Amino acid sequence: MFTIGDFARHGRVSARMLRHYDAIGLLRPEHTDPVTGYRHYAAHQLAALNRIIALKDLGFTLQEVGRVLGEELDVAELRQMLVARRAGLEEAMAAAAVRLTGVEARLRSIEDEGRLPVDEVVVKPVPAVRVAELTATAASYGPEHVGPVIQPLYDELFGRLAAAGVSPAGPGIAYYESAPDGGGAVVVHAAVRVTQESLPGPGSGVELVVLPALRRAATIVHRGSMDGIVPTSQALARWIDAYGHRSAGYAREVTLECPADPDGWVTELQEPLV
């Protein structure tokens, strides 16, 4: 058997932690000297310690850990539960990363508040274009809500077009409109330019739409992931206001370059003007 210090060293934990686990009945020593009170642990108890640490690090409270261990789950059942909890943590980490990106974008907007993108904005006409598209609703126009909706839409759109033997004839064009039910939700249109006037095969779910021409649009190029779009879109808004223009609706987002790394994306925003 091991002293508490030796067992702590082999388990890569502190003796203080082991004493706490003993006090709450989570991991009792194999033997406690009735005279000295010294605790002694057996090597097989490392298995229980590993389970406790793994469950705790996955977010379980010590009370929950005790209940799990009390059910005496076998290795396969424990692994299944840990994998499920790990997936939840990974999802939470991904959501936190998106929030951090959003915070960074807002900070950049704050830093750029006094700057007008004079040479970066071009007013030009935008011709009508035929697109194939899929649509879905996002809870808001914020990147944290649009991103998780639009990317799966594009994956599905390109998959359906490929299955129908249709090749895109131009860049992806995302555009938006307020959802009929209001509440800040938006209808997300994931579209790509095509030349076909009809799609082969019934029931594909892909719609063909002709986006109308924009007589005048204020345009600006955004470089990087769309999660960081806020500083660019707000710079465009400041320019529109400073030069006496009026916006006529949501900006279209035209993908000019789309490498695997989102930091290399190049997107033109085309905001219609009255």
Side-chain angles (χ1 to χ4, degrees):
M1 284 193 290
F2 300 101
T3 66
I4 189 171
D6 288 340
F7 188 75
R9 177 166 52 84
H10 287 295
R12 304 297 179 97
V13 297
S14 67
R16 180 181 179 183
M17 181 182 292
L18 291 175
R19 285 192 287 269
H20 179 58
Y21 291 168
D22 181 16
I24 65 176
L26 191 57
L27 181 61
R28 299 287 194 189
E30 185 81 357
H31 173 73
T32 302
D33 191 298
V35 177
T36 64
Y38 289 166
R39 299 169 173 87
H40 294 84
Y41 294 82
H44 70 81
Q45 291 185 283
L46 289 170
L49 179 61
N50 289 336
R51 285 164 166 75
I52 292 169
I53 300 302
L55 291 167
K56 184 169 70 70
D57 287 349
L58 283 170
F60 289 91
T61 66
L62 291 180
Q63 291 76 13
E64 290 171 332
V65 171
R67 287 197 295 270
V68 170
L69 295 180
E71 295 176 3
E72 298 183 351
L73 302 178
D74 62 28
V75 174
E77 292 172 320
L78 181 61
R79 176 172 177 76
Q80 182 178 7
M81 184 179 67
L82 294 181
V83 167
R85 180 55 69 97
R86 183 179 65 186
L89 287 176
E90 290 172 346
E91 183 177 343
M93 289 172 62
V98 170
R99 287 197 298 272
L100 283 173
T101 300
V103 169
E104 291 171 359
R106 295 289 177 178
L107 287 174
R108 288 198 300 274
S109 293
I110 292 170
E111 293 168 352
D112 290 345
E113 283 174 354
R115 186 182 73 85
L116 274 180
V118 178
D119 298 326
E120 302 169 38
V121 177
V122 175
V123 176
K124 64 182 182 183
V126 175
V129 58
R130 185 185 306 279
V131 297
E133 68 172 37
L134 291 175
T135 63
T137 301
S140 81
Y141 192 43
E144 71 277 9
H145 290 138
V146 170
V149 171
I150 197 166
Q151 190 57 55
L153 276 181
Y154 268 115
D155 292 342
E156 183 69 18
L157 175 64
F158 289 132
R160 294 188 185 188
L161 290 178
V166 175
S167 297
I173 305 173
Y175 66 102
Y176 308 88
E177 59 185 321
S178 298
D181 296 338
V186 294
V187 178
V188 178
H189 298 257
V192 65
R193 182 180 176 184
V194 293
T195 57
Q196 287 83 354
E197 296 187 2
S198 63
L199 295 178
S204 67
V206 176
E207 291 189 55
L208 286 181
V209 176
V210 176
L211 290 181
L214 302 177
R215 189 173 65 86
R216 295 170 66 244
T219 67
I220 190 171
V221 172
H222 170 72
R223 300 180 185 278
S225 167
M226 295 302 287
D227 290 337
I229 191 64
V230 171
T232 305
S233 64
Q234 291 191 357
L236 181 60
R238 290 195 300 273
W239 185 93
I240 290 172
D241 184 64
Y243 284 89
H245 298 287
R246 281 197 299 128
S247 172
Y250 292 95
R252 296 177 186 176
E253 299 166 356
V254 181
T255 302
L256 303 180
E257 297 179 26
C258 189
D261 183 358
D263 290 338
W265 291 357
V266 179
T267 307
E268 183 180 71
L269 303 187
Q270 301 174 342
E271 184 150 345
L273 300 175
V274 173

